[in-house]
Amino acid sequence: MKLDPFYLIVDSAQWIERLVPLGVRLVQVRIKDMEKERLRAEIRKAKALCARHHCQLIVNDHWRLAIEEGCDFIHLGQEDLQTADLPAIQAAGVRLGLSTHDDAELETAVAAGPHYVALGPVYPTILKKMKWPPQGLERIRAWKERVAPLPLVAIGGLNPERLDGVFEAGADSAAVVTDITLNSDPEARTREWIEKTDRWR
């Protein structure tokens, strides 16, 4: 399986409506605290927008809703992986991406049979407090050797200036949150990411 090298992560369908039409081909909707039916509506809207613009949607965490709404890709963190019904996910034909931060988590992830593995944080990140130090480019190289031929997603502290190093180290896709969503011009920054990752498509 091949992932687009530009992996956008946003927390609402509104962001998808703003940014996906610019040429985004891979987006994760990550919504943490929301009442179930509002969340369902967000996922439904995100799915429709992505279908309209030929963009792959990945739903974070909410695997039951993703299956119910006919989504075909989910992403789970390690805690969610422990409680997810992997046979149900597999039976629904839903592809699976998993987060990893250390060797034990990588072993757990690979054993679950994912379609890609994510490693982070590559650089210091302001998104959330991490108990893991920045992984660095050498860890990307090591992880890629261990997960190949699965795609490897790098996440954490990434910006356009750091992308060449991340891809040269072996990452197949680079995930981004705050470098775009906190930018003074998210649309322009999105275009910059698309242009910067074009050579890796």
Side-chain angles (χ1 to χ4, degrees), residues 167-186:
F167 288 121
E168 287 164 3
D172 300 284
S173 187
V176 55
V177 186
T178 58
D179 187 67
I180 288 176
T181 59
L182 296 184
N183 194 277
S184 60
D185 189 342

Side-chain angles (χ1 to χ4, degrees), residues 48-59:
L49 287 164
C50 286
R52 188 180 311 154
H53 295 284
H54 310 288
C55 177
Q56 174 65 58
L57 175 66
I58 299 177
V59 176

Side-chain angles (χ1 to χ4, degrees), residues 2-18:
K2 182 173 173 59
L3 291 177
D4 193 87
F6 172 33
Y7 186 148
L8 176 63
I9 300 176
V10 294
D11 64 2
S12 69
Q14 184 178 10
W15 274 115
I16 290 176
E17 194 168 23
R18 280 182 69 177

Side-chain angles (χ1 to χ4, degrees), residues 21-53:
L22 303 176
V24 177
R25 292 289 170 258
L26 179 65
V27 64
Q28 179 189 130
V29 60
R30 177 198 278 169
I31 302 172
K32 290 298 179 185
D33 298 307
M34 185 176 286
E35 181 270 327
K36 184 177 179 180
E37 290 311 310
R38 279 188 61 212
L39 179 60
R40 183 188 300 278
E42 284 285 300
I43 291 172
R44 193 171 289 176
K45 182 178 180 181
K47 183 188 175 196
L49 287 164
C50 286
R52 188 180 311 154
H53 295 284

Side-chain angles (χ1 to χ4, degrees), residues 38-149:
R38 279 188 61 212
L39 179 60
R40 183 188 300 278
E42 284 285 300
I43 291 172
R44 193 171 289 176
K45 182 178 180 181
K47 183 188 175 196
L49 287 164
C50 286
R52 188 180 311 154
H53 295 284
H54 310 288
C55 177
Q56 174 65 58
L57 175 66
I58 299 177
V59 176
N60 182 265
D61 291 350
H62 305 289
W63 59 270
R64 290 185 184 87
L65 275 178
I67 291 173
E68 290 171 11
E69 291 302 318
C71 300
D72 61 4
F73 218 137
I74 63 172
H75 180 94
L76 297 176
Q78 292 280 322
E79 290 183 6
D80 297 290
L81 175 60
Q82 293 173 19
T83 58
D85 187 339
L86 292 181
I89 292 168
Q90 188 173 25
V94 178
R95 288 172 288 177
L96 175 65
L98 296 173
S99 294
T100 66
H101 307 88
D102 58 33
D103 291 287
E105 290 189 353
L106 180 60
E107 288 184 16
T108 299
V110 171
H115 292 82
Y116 74 78
V117 169
L119 170 68
V122 178
Y123 292 98
T125 175
I126 62 171
L127 180 63
K128 55 186 176 180
K129 187 171 179 59
M130 290 278 193
K131 65 180 181 181
W132 301 275
Q135 307 279 0
L137 299 181
E138 284 305 316
R139 183 62 72 93
I140 292 177
R141 291 186 180 93
W143 244 236
K144 182 59 180 178
E145 287 181 8
R146 293 173 66 179
V147 305

